[in-house]
Amino acid sequence: MERSSGMQNNGGCFSRGCGWIKSLPERSKAKIVECARKIKKLGQDDPRRVNHAVKVGLAITLVSLFYYSEPLYDGFGDSAMWAVLTVVVVFEFSVGATLGRGLNRGLETFLAGTLGFGAHHLAILSGEKGEPILLGLFVFLLATTVTFVRFFPRMKARYDYGLLIFILTFCLISVSGYRDDEVLDMAHKRVSTILIGGLTAVFVCICICPVWAGDDLHNLAATNIEKLGIFLEHFGVEFFRQPGEGESIHKASLQGYKSVLNSKNMEESLVNFARWEPGHGQFKFRHPWKHYLKFGSLTRQCAYRVEALNGYLNSDIKTPPEIQGMIQDSCTKMSSELGKALKELALAIKSMTPPSSASSHLVKSKFFAKNLKFLLSSDLCRGINLLEVVPAVTVTSLLFEVISYAEKIAEAIHELASLAQYENVEQEKPKLPEQGEMHQGANMDVHHHVVTIDQPPPVKPQNGSLSSSTTS
């Protein structure tokens, strides 16, 4: 019995092995097709990636001529390899990143080479016994000082790579010079080849299909604001949608705002890279790139409120029908006008024009917000369970906050337009009309439940969230 069971196990393993071998070509073909599909998608998502790969290959090929060409190799020797290594570590995706790394590496290599040669010369003057001691002291002091300087936030952001190269180059020249008498020739060749490699990388990066970090930062800022506008434009309809009305056609677009929540690191990196770039396109030299961080922060703060609003779209707690019918019209229109305002602000960034066209939408959104606030604090809501109106009150409060942030974003964009000297920029930022001027807005239909007065009486809010969301 044991022998027969062993034969069956061997036969099963043999059959599984045969099946695995037979399916190997088919599985390999499936993996190749899947890999090709991923490569195609990667290139289609951003065709600039293909251009970048070709540019890196071209730059490395050009500096490799120092090895392939006999006259060039005789002039630099084995130090020619530093040109190849420089291209590999300096060439980045955008022009700003490449310029930043190239300038950091070139300048710090030159300074470190000069100091390394000076340290070597001073160490020689101290005699044969004192030379290694003095060299070790120089290396310790410089490495300790520069490493501590790297902890400063500003130095860390812009010059960290250069400081690292400074330590590396100084140590290589000063320490290796102890065993090599031709330290000056070695330093000259190393600095020369690094400069040649850096210049080659910068030249190829700028002259062949350049990718500007400033353009990416500009488009990112506009896209983030536009995503918030798309969400808010459809939020009112989705919030009051009844379960039997079918699935939303805007469900996918409503989730686009989530990328805004995690955009801080990308914005800071792009600002840092853009500051290295020369004037290009519509962006002049010394364009106020740091100002993008201001309305980038405001956009994220607004996105946090939008994230809270999104949580109420699928909430199990529903607003009573009588309250819903009373506030639905004003809430929907307020959200829609607010979304249109943010989309106009995004368009103003893209077209590099003052955001004057967004003012009318902000005026309308504030108009409906004041009417909605008056409704929720009126006698119409007396005698209703507070727990049932919590979602409506909270959503209204969050929309009030979003209006406030939208106004701040508009002010920040107008400041950017003034600093960057956009065309047709007025010196004074546009002011939104006050309460008495709001009734002059065109085509502002109000639900029959809404009561509007020129000067609403002071209200004692029943819910704490209303008092913290004053928009007047």
Side-chain angles (χ1 to χ4, degrees):
M1 293 291 293
E2 294 180 358
R3 183 175 181 183
S4 60
S5 61
M7 292 178 63
Q8 289 178 358
N9 291 335
N10 292 335
C13 293
F14 180 76
S15 60
R16 285 195 298 270
C18 291
W20 186 85
I21 294 174
K22 289 180 180 180
S23 63
L24 182 60
E26 185 176 350
R27 289 188 291 106
S28 300
K29 181 180 178 180
K31 288 185 178 181
I32 293 174
V33 172
E34 183 183 359
C35 182
R37 189 183 297 111
K38 290 182 179 180
I39 293 174
K40 182 180 179 180
K41 184 179 183 301
L42 190 66
Q44 288 178 341
D45 290 343
D46 193 349
R48 299 179 303 175
R49 296 168 178 168
V50 179
N51 297 334
H52 175 70
V54 174
K55 290 192 296 183
V56 172
L58 176 61
I60 293 177
T61 303
L62 289 176
V63 295
S64 297
L65 295 177
F66 285 92
Y67 254 71
Y68 301 147
S69 177
E70 197 69 31
L72 293 176
Y73 181 79
D74 292 340
F76 292 97
D78 292 335
S79 296
M81 183 54 67
W82 283 95
V84 178
L85 296 176
T86 299
V87 172
V88 173
V89 299
V90 164
F91 211 121
E92 293 288 339
F93 185 72
S94 66
V95 173
T98 304
L99 276 173
R101 276 186 167 258
L103 292 175
N104 268 284
R105 187 175 180 87
L107 180 61
E108 300 302 334
T109 298
F110 176 77
L111 292 177
T114 303
L115 290 178
F117 175 75
H120 176 74
H121 184 70
L122 290 176
I124 291 177
L125 297 178
S126 63
E128 184 177 352
K129 292 184 179 180
E131 182 178 359
I133 298 175
L134 198 57
L135 280 175
L137 180 62
F138 286 149
V139 170
F140 173 78
L141 292 177
L142 186 136
T144 302
T145 303
V146 176
T147 301
F148 182 77
V149 170
R150 291 178 62 196
F151 288 109
F152 286 92
R154 185 174 180 181
M155 303 299 290
K156 186 77 174 176
R158 301 201 70 191
Y159 307 107
D160 185 67
Y161 176 72
L163 295 173
L164 188 64
I165 293 299
F166 182 87
I167 298 174
L168 176 63
T169 304
F170 179 83
C171 294
L172 285 175
I173 291 178
S174 60
V175 174
S176 60
Y178 180 70
R179 300 292 183 182
D180 192 349
D181 295 334
E182 298 179 355
V183 63
L184 180 60
D185 183 62
M186 177 185 64
H188 173 264
K189 290 181 179 179
R190 187 162 297 175
V191 172
S192 300
T193 52
I194 288 176
L195 292 177
I196 291 173
L199 290 174
T200 303
V202 170
F203 177 81
V204 174
C205 186
I206 293 179
C207 296
I208 302 177
C209 301
V211 177
W212 301 100
D215 290 343
D216 289 346
L217 175 63
H218 192 78
N219 295 331
L220 177 65
T223 302
N224 286 345
I225 297 177
E226 185 178 18
K227 290 178 179 178
L228 299 183
I230 292 174
F231 177 92
L232 291 167
E233 192 173 15
H234 304 291
F235 171 76
V237 176
E238 299 302 323
F239 179 70
F240 294 103
R241 178 182 294 276
Q242 297 300 323
E245 295 183 6
E247 190 175 356
S248 171
I249 60 175
H250 306 290
K251 189 174 182 180
S253 61
L254 288 176
Q255 304 303 314
Y257 75 92
K258 292 186 177 180
S259 62
V260 183
L261 301 172
N262 301 316
S263 61
K264 180 179 180 180
N265 292 335
M266 182 177 292
E267 285 180 357
E268 292 178 348
S269 297
L270 289 175
V271 167
N272 184 31
F273 297 152
R275 293 174 65 190
W276 289 104
E277 294 177 347
H280 58 278
Q282 294 180 310
F283 305 108
K284 301 178 182 179
F285 182 68
R286 297 184 65 82
H287 186 79
W289 297 114
K290 292 185 68 175
H291 195 76
Y292 283 78
L293 296 176
K294 180 176 181 179
F295 59 80
S297 176
L298 292 172
T299 302
R300 282 190 300 277
Q301 293 296 326
C302 187
Y304 296 144
R305 275 69 182 175
V306 169
E307 172 75 3
L309 289 172
N310 184 63
Y312 285 93
L313 290 180
N314 301 318
S315 176
D316 294 333
I317 304 177
K318 300 299 181 182
T319 306
E322 58 272 17
I323 298 297
Q324 179 173 316
M326 185 174 58
I327 68 173
Q328 180 174 354
D329 188 69
S330 294
C331 188
T332 301
K333 289 182 178 179
M334 176 176 62
S335 177
S336 176
E337 292 296 335
L338 189 54
K340 292 177 182 178
L342 288 175
K343 290 173 71 175
E344 288 292 336
L345 293 176
L347 182 61
I349 296 179
K350 290 181 179 179
S351 59
M352 300 184 69
T353 56
S356 56
S357 58
S359 300
S360 61
H361 294 294
L362 287 174
V363 168
K364 294 178 182 179
S365 64
K366 292 183 68 176
F367 173 81
F368 291 114
K370 287 180 179 293
N371 283 312
L372 187 59
K373 184 177 180 180
F374 176 76
L375 276 175
L376 292 174
S377 59
S378 65
D379 293 336
L380 297 175
C381 295
R382 305 292 183 185
I384 297 177
N385 188 357
L386 292 179
L387 293 178
E388 294 180 341
V389 298
V390 164
V393 174
T394 306
V395 166
T396 304
S397 177
L398 289 171
L399 287 175
F400 290 167
E401 293 186 26
V402 173
I403 292 176
S404 176
Y405 279 106
E407 292 178 341
K408 293 178 182 179
I409 292 173
E411 293 176 1
I413 295 175
H414 195 275
E415 291 177 9
L416 174 67
S418 300
L419 294 173
Q421 299 179 355
Y422 291 173
E423 296 180 0
N424 303 323
V425 181
E426 299 178 359
Q427 294 298 323
E428 295 184 359
K429 58 187 178 182
K431 296 182 179 180
L432 296 176
E434 299 297 334
Q435 171 72 16
E437 302 176 4
M438 288 184 180
H439 298 283
Q440 301 177 3
N443 300 325
M444 291 191 295
D445 298 330
V446 183
H447 196 270
H448 65 278
H449 285 295
V450 177
V451 179
T452 59
I453 56 177
D454 290 337
Q455 294 183 351
V459 177
K460 296 181 180 180
Q462 299 178 7
N463 190 293
S465 60
L466 288 174
S467 61
S468 62
S469 306
T470 303
T471 57
S472 57

